[in-house]
Amino acid sequence: KLCDSANIRSFKKGQFLINEGMQSHYLYLIIEGQVDVQSYGIHIAKLAQGSLLGEVSVAGLSPATADVIAISETKAICLSFATILELEKTKPSFATALYDTAMTRVLS
């Protein structure tokens, strides 16, 4: 079911996946490439395959806390906000894990 609801998006080098201060409506799982995470133009982290992005904003805790920019050709599995709401009903453990991950990032 999860795979049916997800889609894979490609991002070119320099393309923004997430914009700081904006509400993100997608949860991203990087499956190829690398991204740079920046806040107010300051480098925070470089993330690659297996990294989860957008959980703070999509969980509704706050607008995006950082820019996420592809630094190479990047592919990500994308779950829409609507899909996440559906998963909350059918897979409460997924929703709990997402919220816990988002809270950890907000508090760190």
Side-chain angles (χ1 to χ4, degrees):
K1 175 98 177 157
L2 180 61
C3 291
D4 294 339
S5 302
N7 62 54
I8 296 175
R9 290 186 55 196
S10 296
F11 299 90
K12 295 180 182 195
K13 181 178 179 179
Q15 189 173 359
F16 282 68
L17 285 72
I18 298 173
N19 293 68
E20 185 170 16
M22 303 295 291
Q23 194 68 35
S24 177
H25 300 287
Y26 291 93
L27 182 67
Y28 299 93
L29 176 63
I30 303 297
I31 57 174
E32 185 179 303
Q34 295 183 329
V35 298
D36 188 36
V37 180
Q38 300 178 6
S39 182
Y40 299 102
I42 298 170
H43 170 79
I44 296 172
K46 185 188 324 184
L47 302 174
Q49 185 176 354
S51 297
L52 190 64
L53 309 166
E55 70 285 347
V56 171
S57 183
V58 83
L61 297 176
S62 76
T65 58
D67 287 324
V68 179
I69 308 160
I71 55 176
S72 65
E73 296 292 316
T74 300
K75 289 186 180 179
I77 296 172
C78 304
L79 294 173
S80 71
F81 180 69
T83 298
I84 292 167
L85 288 177
E86 184 179 322
L87 284 169
E88 285 181 339
K89 296 175 190 169
T90 60
K91 302 283 185 198
S93 59
F94 175 84
T96 300
L98 175 62
Y99 184 78
D100 289 348
T101 300
M103 284 302 296
T104 299
R105 291 229 177 134
V106 166
L107 296 174
S108 61

